[in-house]
Amino acid sequence: MGSGTSVRLEPYEVALMRGGTRSAVTVAVLALHLRGLVDAGRQGRIRTTGAAEAGAGAGAAGNSADDLPPLPTAVYAALQRPASIAELETAPGVRGALSELRAGLVAARMLRSLPPRRTRAARHALRALRAGHPLPTARKALSPDDVLIAVALYGEPALTVLAARFALRAGLTARAEVADKGFHRNAPRGGGTGGGSYVSCGGGSGGSD
């Protein structure tokens, strides 16, 4: 994320601004799922699939966790055993990555630290992002990056359209009605879920109102 007159926001930062730490961790889990690195386990828990280890052995980058940003990397590292979204949110490494995200947003004048809240610049940025990224009504033709930014901006309403079955079984949503047909299987290998695609929005002065 840069600063100045134009701020480039990753989906994890957008989610943190909009909905707090749970939303940011949810987007990180979804990024891992879209790469085939995690899936839903039993009783609303999230587990690794072993795809990263298999991919590393085969020399395939598509299922690697090595090039992911800090938050999904920390979430993946915390999954030594299946965990709930609440457990992931409080894992030490994940908390550290969330603190770094928050500090970056404070430095960019998107968040105030005391009291913790969005600034005027953040509210303007979210409005601009929603204008450019309406809530999807279907998953067709959306890239992995499109999926992540939609969930970052809209939370559960986007999850129920874009990854309903996984979100429900993994405990990311309390309800889901639209069947998830396994989006990551249709995604290009190595494509887009590492946060390499940024969303730019104007604003750098962070007054609050």
Side-chain angles (χ1 to χ4, degrees):
M1 182 180 64
S3 60
T5 58
S6 180
V7 178
R8 300 192 310 166
L9 297 169
E10 290 185 340
Y12 318 103
E13 295 168 319
V14 173
L16 184 63
M17 280 198 312
R18 179 195 61 80
T21 57
R22 177 65 59 89
S23 296
V25 174
T26 295
V27 173
V29 168
L30 183 60
L32 294 168
H33 177 64
L34 295 179
R35 285 201 175 200
L37 297 174
V38 305
D39 206 344
R42 295 181 178 180
Q43 299 179 332
R45 303 176 86 77
I46 300 144
R47 63 172 178 83
T48 60
T49 63
E53 291 77 8
N63 296 105
S64 171
D66 294 340
D67 58 342
L68 288 166
L71 182 57
T73 297
V75 168
Y76 189 78
L79 287 168
Q80 299 297 319
R81 62 187 66 181
S84 68
I85 188 72
E87 290 168 338
L88 289 173
E89 190 179 356
T90 58
V94 175
R95 290 175 62 185
L98 288 167
S99 294
E100 289 183 9
L101 274 185
R102 189 180 295 108
L105 289 168
V106 170
R109 299 181 181 181
M110 290 286 179
L111 290 180
R112 287 193 180 278
S113 55
L114 293 173
R117 62 180 180 178
R118 290 189 295 266
T119 64
R120 182 181 302 169
R123 292 191 291 274
H124 173 76
L126 289 173
R127 285 194 299 269
L129 287 170
R130 289 190 181 109
H133 300 269
L135 177 65
T137 58
R139 199 174 56 196
K140 185 178 180 180
L142 292 182
S143 71
D145 286 325
D146 292 333
V147 172
L148 293 183
I149 193 62
V151 174
L153 284 169
Y154 300 104
E156 185 169 315
L159 279 171
T160 60
V161 172
L162 303 174
R165 182 177 297 174
F166 169 71
L168 181 63
R169 292 177 59 234
L172 305 182
T173 58
R175 61 191 181 279
E177 299 177 357
V178 181
D180 172 18
K181 298 180 181 178
F183 182 85
H184 70 261
R185 289 195 294 270
N186 298 324
R189 295 179 65 84
T193 61
S197 177
Y198 293 86
V199 182
S200 296
C201 53
S205 61
S208 173
D209 59 10

